[in-house]
Amino acid sequence: MNSLIVKSVLFAMALLIHQFAAAKSNLDLLKVPAGFKIELFESDVPNARTMVLGTNGTLFVGTRNEGVVYAIKNNKRYIIAEDLNMPNGLAFRDKALYIGAVDKLFRMDDIEARLDNPPIPTLIRDDLPSETHHGWRYMDFGPDGRLYMAIGAPCNVCLKKDYAVIRSMNADGTDERVEARGIRNTVGFTWHPVSKKLWLSDNGRDMMGDDIPPDEINRVDEFQEHFGFPYCHGGTIADPEFNDLSCRAFTPPIQALGAHVAPLGIAFYTGKQFPKAYKNRLFVAEHGSWNRSKKSGYKVMMATITGSDEDEIITKYEPFVTGWLQGQKAWGRPAYVLVLKDGSLLISDDRGGAIYRVSYTQ
């Protein structure tokens, strides 16, 4: 084997070992509210990102940089698909795992019964946008049974037809339509457990300074509703390059976040383990900034929501798990949140290659 290849392999292995060690040794740095505890659920999932649960309790984990999809069952980790192009998008329905890998959509049938000998993923579509800039997919099945998928802007800021949208389609990839527009880059959306409305995170544009524009949490009230990109950011800030339309023409965020905190996965708390006050609160994984002189984000936040339907408002937005950022050094980056059937909360960390579990013990 070429010595350069050997060195590259050894460096990659050393990096992974360092990441796993960091997740274990730094666990005590993570802070949760009184009455809760946080522990390592799995420490060997390099680049862990999106998580979905199978019918029989299998945890499936997508990646962006590793090109693999993991399955975790009975404390054993499997690689069920590999050599894919950014397989960040996962969804599960009718015993099948759906995988979004940039321009391709795959399905793995009856996968929970085949973890030891997984099938080759069945190709459903290969005609999705192929740009990798904001091209890692996020997707999920909605209450209407359709598969929703994010198509991010292939740029920092630009105006390009059929991008910066959320689309939906049948499970077989047919009957595609646009559900919402003006969304620069969402890597997390979900439906409110009561109103059934679609909520989503959105990452704001870069290169406007440390403190603008804000990242966003949005709620879709109308079919093909427009949330402003690229003309307007945060509901009030006109883009310096695309400012020919007023911000009044677009829907403002239901919650403006800190600039560059990079909200990814979001999940409403639907379990019964946490205190009753946590019911239907929204957890947000803030992945953390890169385009900021002082780092921001790197925590899991929690939104308290009051009202119903059009009257829903966020009355409090506060930290739930902190500690991945120590000073200006980040040893982990929360990417996704998932409520388990027992009511505990999983958090994936794509920098630490780990998954954490938060439970209520008091």
Side-chain angles (χ1 to χ4, degrees):
M1 184 181 290
N2 183 286
S3 61
L4 182 60
I5 295 177
V6 172
K7 289 180 180 179
S8 298
V9 171
L10 291 176
F11 175 79
M13 292 176 63
L15 180 61
L16 290 177
I17 291 172
H18 172 74
Q19 290 175 336
F20 302 154
K24 292 179 180 178
S25 63
N26 290 327
L27 185 61
D28 289 343
L29 296 175
L30 296 178
K31 305 302 180 185
V32 293
F36 291 86
K37 73 172 182 179
I38 187 166
E39 57 193 335
L40 270 174
F41 180 84
E42 177 60 54
S43 63
D44 186 14
V45 276
N47 197 230
R49 299 226 353 151
T50 306
M51 301 178 290
V52 298
L53 276 177
T55 305
N56 298 324
T58 306
L59 179 69
F60 297 99
V61 186
T63 63
R64 192 182 78 174
N65 299 328
E66 292 293 308
V68 305
V69 177
Y70 304 103
I72 301 171
K73 182 71 178 292
N74 296 329
N75 298 316
K76 184 176 180 180
R77 192 209 68 172
Y78 306 81
I79 292 179
I80 60 169
E82 53 190 335
D83 298 323
L84 299 178
N85 187 12
M86 296 183 174
N88 182 85
L90 299 182
F92 194 90
R93 184 188 185 199
D94 296 336
K95 299 184 179 180
L97 179 70
Y98 292 75
I99 303 171
V102 187
D103 61 328
K104 295 178 174 60
L105 176 63
F106 298 97
R107 187 185 69 243
M108 301 183 76
D109 294 321
D110 200 22
I111 183 59
E112 288 189 277
R114 309 167 74 180
L115 298 179
D116 286 311
N117 187 26
I120 296 174
T122 299
L123 181 65
I124 299 175
R125 290 185 59 171
D126 62 359
D127 60 346
L128 298 170
S130 60
E131 292 89 346
T132 55
H133 193 129
H134 299 153
W136 47 93
R137 299 285 162 244
Y138 182 76
M139 60 191 201
D140 198 4
F141 282 99
D144 56 2
R146 294 175 63 86
L147 181 63
Y148 287 65
M149 177 182 292
I151 306 293
C155 55
N156 175 33
V157 58
C158 60
L159 181 60
K160 193 169 182 180
K161 185 180 179 182
D162 298 327
Y163 290 80
V165 298
I166 293 177
R167 303 180 186 177
S168 76
M169 63 191 77
N170 293 328
D172 62 2
T174 62
D175 190 32
E176 181 181 306
R177 70 188 185 213
V178 172
E179 298 285 346
R181 302 180 183 276
I183 300 162
R184 179 177 177 269
N185 180 36
T186 178
V187 199
F189 53 73
T190 190
W191 287 264
H192 191 283
V194 178
S195 70
K196 306 302 180 185
K197 290 187 176 180
L198 178 64
W199 288 57
L200 60 108
S201 63
D202 194 9
N203 288 247
R205 68 158 291 178
D206 299 313
M207 309 305 175
M208 285 184 68
D210 273 2
D211 299 318
I212 58 171
D215 290 335
E216 302 175 8
I217 300 295
N218 290 302
R219 185 191 66 201
V220 180
D221 291 329
E222 299 177 359
F223 180 62
Q224 297 194 347
E225 194 166 5
H226 201 300
F227 292 90
F229 180 85
Y231 307 102
C232 180
H233 311 287
T236 59
I237 302 171
D239 190 87
E241 300 174 54
F242 299 90
N243 55 15
D244 50 323
L245 293 176
S246 168
C247 283
R248 290 193 297 271
F250 308 108
T251 301
I254 195 166
Q255 179 71 41
L257 310 182
H260 312 296
V261 297
L264 300 189
I266 65 175
F268 287 103
Y269 186 73
T270 54
K272 296 181 179 180
Q273 183 187 118
F274 292 6
K276 290 183 179 180
Y278 284 78
K279 183 179 180 181
N280 296 341
R281 286 183 179 177
L282 183 70
F283 291 106
V284 180
E286 292 189 349
H287 196 229
S289 62
W290 70 270
N291 182 228
R292 200 169 191 274
S293 59
K294 292 186 178 180
K295 289 183 171 63
S296 59
Y298 302 94
K299 63 185 74 170
V300 173
M301 299 291 288
M302 179 176 62
T304 301
I305 302 163
T306 61
S308 60
D309 295 335
E310 284 75 16
D311 295 327
E312 285 175 340
I313 60 171
I314 292 177
T315 55
K316 185 181 292 186
Y317 190 72
E318 59 190 321
F320 183 69
V321 185
T322 62
W324 287 284
L325 181 63
Q326 297 291 314
Q328 287 299 295
K329 292 184 178 180
W331 59 271
R333 303 187 79 181
Y336 199 75
V337 284
L338 177 71
V339 179
L340 289 181
K341 292 179 180 179
D342 68 357
S344 60
L345 182 75
L346 293 187
I347 304 165
S348 63
D349 170 5
D350 63 352
R351 172 169 288 181
I355 298 172
Y356 307 90
R357 180 184 178 187
V358 179
S359 55
Y360 188 71
T361 60
Q362 190 166 299

